[in-house]
């Protein structure tokens, strides 16, 4: 299938690595703050949001979001006010998100896995005036919150708890707001220093849901979709997935547990039609189904990100799950996704295409440039630059970092990649993750994709370690499938069938858990640091 069939075109006539999606038409865009009231007018009694025993119809969600506006104003937070949210997945996260947008406020989600110093940094840097938090993080906040900020407790069943207070607050009247004003500040992982606050707007956040609808990749969706959201809501992917249901008037089930048994139970008990998980969870879900001898007949689609779907896993998944697959590639700085590899392109008979992350969505342009910012030829690795309708407004209080990242309407992603002649994007790596071994550039993602095809390897991380002869030696840390074992020489021989000699890992490590971000991405920097410190110790 060509890119033109899925909403993309490419500047391949000049042989340059520049791909363009179809022109953007944002007529009919529904802003996130309007999801509940639009569908409350159409289907007031339809279930919009579910979390455990808590169920919100669209009419109830609409009223709840208006009550959040009142609650925030009672705490002095109106247009431009800022509040933090730290808690595990909950329905109330989305009432605060959408209600905060209606209030014209800025919500600052905090990764609940952060340490006290990391949390303190976000609270200070974010200039928040109120904290909304789960009770279990009281101790963390006591240690981190040096300004004694007022707090609302999410899961307190007493009258001061968030749920009772939303129920008791009178709905605030709707007021016109600027859709391009800041509404959300998400912090990056901070692998190269302090995390940066990525400031985005309602328009930026909402345009992705609109673009996905017009992309053609969702043409099999019906009015009865029930989406399951197990990924962390404080992450752009997790919150976007719930809104993927709400923008269509569908139903979103939010869960706080990514255990494959819990995911399968929810699919079976609630007739889940779509879910968004990472490929490692796809493997685990298949294993859970096989162990029980059951399938999830209602499941129509699995959406995923953070890593490509290897052909062997796709074949197993189609056989076991019997559903369609869709891959996203995006980042916090663009408020969502920029490319999609759609269901029609998930064809195991074309494994090369499965290594890509798809082609640009309508309204987006992708370029591959060298270190001087010059366009590279097709199929040449370089840095991914992206232009589109949803680039970050700024890095909060970091004008120099903003100026370095935003250049003439383009965002420099720091990710490495290449574009083929058909306009499909293939990731190589974060530029800083590239390994230089014996003068040759080695892209860890390419090596990892090959190793994941090994029948005994569940997941892996490839990185460079100091080497006396080659400068850096290619190293692979492996996560082994339950009930399997590997011999390092066998793994090296397996890799040799698909990789040039300089790309083959010379050192194989097992038995060390692979650290992951909240969105499921393996953190190469941390696993590399572990082995550097171990070797030096």
């Amino acid at each position: 299938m060509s890119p033109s069939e899925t909403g993309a075109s490419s500047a391949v006539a000049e042989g340059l690595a520049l791909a363009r999606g179809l022109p953007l038409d944002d007529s009919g865009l529904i802003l996130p703050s309007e999801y509940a009231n639009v569908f409350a007018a159409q289907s007031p009694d339809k279930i919009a949001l579910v979390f455990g025993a808590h169920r919100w119809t669209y009419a109830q969600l609409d009223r709840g979001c208006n009550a959040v506006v009142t609650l925030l104003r009672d705490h002095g937070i109106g247009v431009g006010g800022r509040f933090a949210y730290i808690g595990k997945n909950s329905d109330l996260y989305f009432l605060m998100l959408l209600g905060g947008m209606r209030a014209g406020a800025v919500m600052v989600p905090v990764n609940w896995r952060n340490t006290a110093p990391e949390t303190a940094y976000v609270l200070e840097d974010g200039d928040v005036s109120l904290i909304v938090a789960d009770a279990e993080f009281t101790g963390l906040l006591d240690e981190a919150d040096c300004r004694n900020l007022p707090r609302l407790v999410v899961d307190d069943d007493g009258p001061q708890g968030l749920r009772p207070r939303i129920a008791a607050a009178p709905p605030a009247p709707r007021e016109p707001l600027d859709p391009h004003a800041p509404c959300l500040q998400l912090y990056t992982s901070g692998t190269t220093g302090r995390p940066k606050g990525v400031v985005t707007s309602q328009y930026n956040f909402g345009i992705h849901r609109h673009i996905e609808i017009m992309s053609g990749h969702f043409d099999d969706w019906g009015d009865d979709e029930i989406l399951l959201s197990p990924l962390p809501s404080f992450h752009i992917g997790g919150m976007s997935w719930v809104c993927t249901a709400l923008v269509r008037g569908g139903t979103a089930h939010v869960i706080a547990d990514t255990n494959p048994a819990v995911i399968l139970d929810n699919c079976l008990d609630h007739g889940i039609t779509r879910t968004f998980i990472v490929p490692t969870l796809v493997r685990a879900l298949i294993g859970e189904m096989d162990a029980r001898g059951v399938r999830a007949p209602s499941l129509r689609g699995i959406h995923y990100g953070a890593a490509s779907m290897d052909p062997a896993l796709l074949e197993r998944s189609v056989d076991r799950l019997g559903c369609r697959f869709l891959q996203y590639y995006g980042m916090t700085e663009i408020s969502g996704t920029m490319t999609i590899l759609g269901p029609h392109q998930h064809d195991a008979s074309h494994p090369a295409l499965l290594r890509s992350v798809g082609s640009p969505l309508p309204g987006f342009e992708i370029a591959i440039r060298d270190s001087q910012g010059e366009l590279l030829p097709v199929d040449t690795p370089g840095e991914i630059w992206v232009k589109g309708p949803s680039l970050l407004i700024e890095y909060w209080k970091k004008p120099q970092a903003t100026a370095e990242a935003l250049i003439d309407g383009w965002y420099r992603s720091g990710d490495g990649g290449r574009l083929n002649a058909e306009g499909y994007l293939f990731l190589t790596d974060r530029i800083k993750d590239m390994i230089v071994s014996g003068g040759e550039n080695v892209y860890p993602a390419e090596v990892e994709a090959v190793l994941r095809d090994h029948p005994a390897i569940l997941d892996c991380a490839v990185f460079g370690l100091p080497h006396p002869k080659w400068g850096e030696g290619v190293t692979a840390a492996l996560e082994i499938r339950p009930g399997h074992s590997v011999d390092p020489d066998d793994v090296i021989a397996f890799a040799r069938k698909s990789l040039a000699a300089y790309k083959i890992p010379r050192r194989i490590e097992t038995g060390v858990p692979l650290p992951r971000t909240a969105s499921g991405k393996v953190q190469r920097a941390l696993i590399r640091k572990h082995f550097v410190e171990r070797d030096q110790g």
Side-chain angles (χ1 to χ4, degrees):
M1 179 171 292
S2 68
S4 61
E5 294 177 83
T6 57
S9 58
S10 175
V12 295
E14 298 84 6
L16 298 176
L18 175 64
R20 298 185 179 93
L22 294 176
L24 173 65
D25 177 4
D26 65 0
S27 58
L29 167 69
I30 305 174
L31 293 172
S33 61
E34 305 298 314
Y35 292 161
N37 66 284
V38 165
F39 292 102
Q42 299 177 18
S43 307
D45 297 326
K46 186 173 182 180
I47 299 299
L49 193 60
V50 179
F51 178 72
H54 304 289
R55 305 169 76 83
W56 298 81
T57 66
Y58 273 96
Q60 291 168 337
L61 182 61
D62 185 35
R63 186 200 180 282
C65 289
N66 285 340
V68 166
V69 176
T70 298
L71 190 59
L72 288 173
R73 288 176 179 168
D74 286 347
H75 285 81
I77 297 177
V79 175
R82 306 169 70 81
F83 68 98
Y85 189 108
I86 176 166
K88 296 181 179 178
N89 285 9
S90 167
D91 53 330
L92 297 181
Y93 176 93
F94 291 95
L95 271 84
M96 296 306 300
L97 174 69
L98 301 179
M101 290 179 179
R102 288 189 179 186
V106 179
M107 180 165 160
V108 182
V110 182
N111 185 337
W112 52 265
R113 293 173 171 146
N114 281 356
T115 63
E118 290 169 330
T119 301
Y121 172 78
V122 172
L123 296 177
E124 281 287 339
D125 186 70
D127 287 342
V128 300
S129 303
L130 172 71
I131 299 173
V132 182
D134 288 356
E136 72 174 280
F137 301 114
T138 298
L140 175 72
L141 289 171
D142 287 343
E143 185 179 350
D145 179 19
C146 57
R147 290 183 290 148
N148 297 314
L149 295 171
R151 302 179 196 172
L152 292 174
V153 181
V154 175
D155 47 349
D156 183 347
D157 294 330
Q160 296 305 306
L162 182 59
R163 196 177 301 277
R165 295 190 69 169
I166 290 175
R174 298 298 304 276
E175 297 179 2
L177 295 167
D178 178 4
H180 297 285
C183 75
L184 189 63
Q185 185 162 309
L186 297 167
Y187 278 79
T188 60
S189 58
T191 55
T192 57
R194 288 286 199 180
K196 297 189 289 289
V198 178
V199 181
T200 192
S201 71
Q202 242 203 106
Y203 179 90
N204 289 0
F205 185 81
I207 194 64
H208 285 87
R209 313 289 76 78
H210 176 78
I211 288 172
E212 288 165 3
I213 291 173
M214 64 180 291
S215 71
H217 292 297
F218 297 75
D219 55 2
D220 65 326
W221 284 50
D223 296 331
D224 60 343
E225 301 291 350
I226 304 175
L227 276 58
L228 180 68
S229 184
L231 296 183
S233 297
F234 63 76
H235 188 273
I236 189 68
M239 71 179 79
S240 295
W241 181 242
V242 170
C243 290
T244 296
L246 299 181
V247 73
R248 292 169 169 80
T251 301
H253 279 251
V254 177
I255 60 175
D257 192 338
T258 58
N259 186 298
V262 174
I263 293 174
L264 179 54
D265 286 342
N266 274 268
C267 289
L268 296 173
D269 294 343
H270 302 296
I272 300 300
T273 62
R274 319 261 175 185
T275 189
F276 180 23
I277 54 180
V278 296
T280 51
L281 269 179
V282 175
R283 295 185 182 96
L285 183 60
I286 292 171
E288 183 67 22
M289 287 183 177
D290 288 347
R292 296 194 203 179
V294 300
R295 295 293 177 265
S298 63
L299 198 59
R300 301 170 189 165
I302 288 181
H303 293 217
Y304 65 97
S308 296
M309 182 78 76
D310 65 75
L313 175 58
L314 178 65
E315 288 182 357
R316 291 195 300 273
S317 302
V318 170
D319 177 58
R320 307 288 210 288
L321 303 176
C323 62
R324 308 178 84 189
F325 290 83
L326 182 147
Q327 180 183 187
Y328 299 104
Y329 167 65
M331 54 197 62
T332 304
E333 284 85 351
I334 62 167
S335 308
T337 188
M338 62 171 126
T339 67
I340 282 179
L341 188 72
H344 298 293
Q345 294 137 340
H346 278 75
D347 183 351
S349 65
H350 296 87
L353 190 58
L354 284 176
R355 303 297 188 198
S356 84
V357 292
S359 54
L361 285 168
F364 283 90
E365 297 180 57
I366 295 173
I368 307 298
R369 302 180 185 270
D370 63 17
S371 59
Q372 305 303 311
E374 298 297 323
L375 274 174
L376 291 166
V378 296
D379 283 321
T380 303
E383 183 180 7
I384 300 169
W385 291 41
V386 58
K387 177 185 286 188
S390 62
L391 302 187
L392 73 159
I393 296 172
E394 63 177 336
Y395 285 122
W396 179 244
K397 295 194 285 191
K398 289 182 169 28
Q400 182 176 345
T402 303
E404 291 171 353
L406 295 175
I407 300 175
D408 296 330
W410 290 87
Y411 171 67
R412 297 185 59 174
S413 74
D415 282 357
R418 62 179 177 86
L419 283 165
N420 73 2
E422 287 73 41
Y424 286 94
L425 177 65
F426 294 77
L427 300 184
T428 50
D429 275 300
R430 294 288 297 175
I431 298 299
K432 64 180 180 295
D433 286 342
M434 186 178 70
I435 303 166
V436 181
S437 183
E440 297 280 4
N441 295 340
V442 179
Y443 296 95
E446 180 185 7
V447 182
E448 290 167 354
V450 170
L451 295 181
R452 289 192 189 103
D453 284 340
H454 190 287
I457 296 175
L458 181 63
D459 206 353
C460 59
V462 171
F463 47 92
L465 288 177
H467 191 281
K469 181 176 181 181
W470 306 113
E472 287 187 294
V474 181
T475 305
L478 309 180
E479 187 174 75
I480 308 303
R481 294 183 187 280
H484 290 72
S485 61
V486 295
D487 177 83
D489 291 338
D490 172 65
V491 173
I492 291 170
F494 180 86
R496 188 173 288 119
K497 298 175 184 177
S498 304
L499 297 170
Y502 67 90
K503 300 177 184 178
I504 296 170
R506 301 300 179 181
R507 176 175 171 180
I508 304 294
E509 295 283 350
T510 60
V512 177
L514 299 182
R516 288 181 169 84
T517 66
S519 62
K521 294 181 181 179
V522 173
Q523 295 176 293
R524 293 195 195 101
L526 290 184
I527 192 70
R528 181 184 185 277
K529 179 182 177 184
H530 168 83
F531 285 107
V532 167
E533 291 176 349
R534 195 180 78 173
D535 291 350
Q536 293 176 345

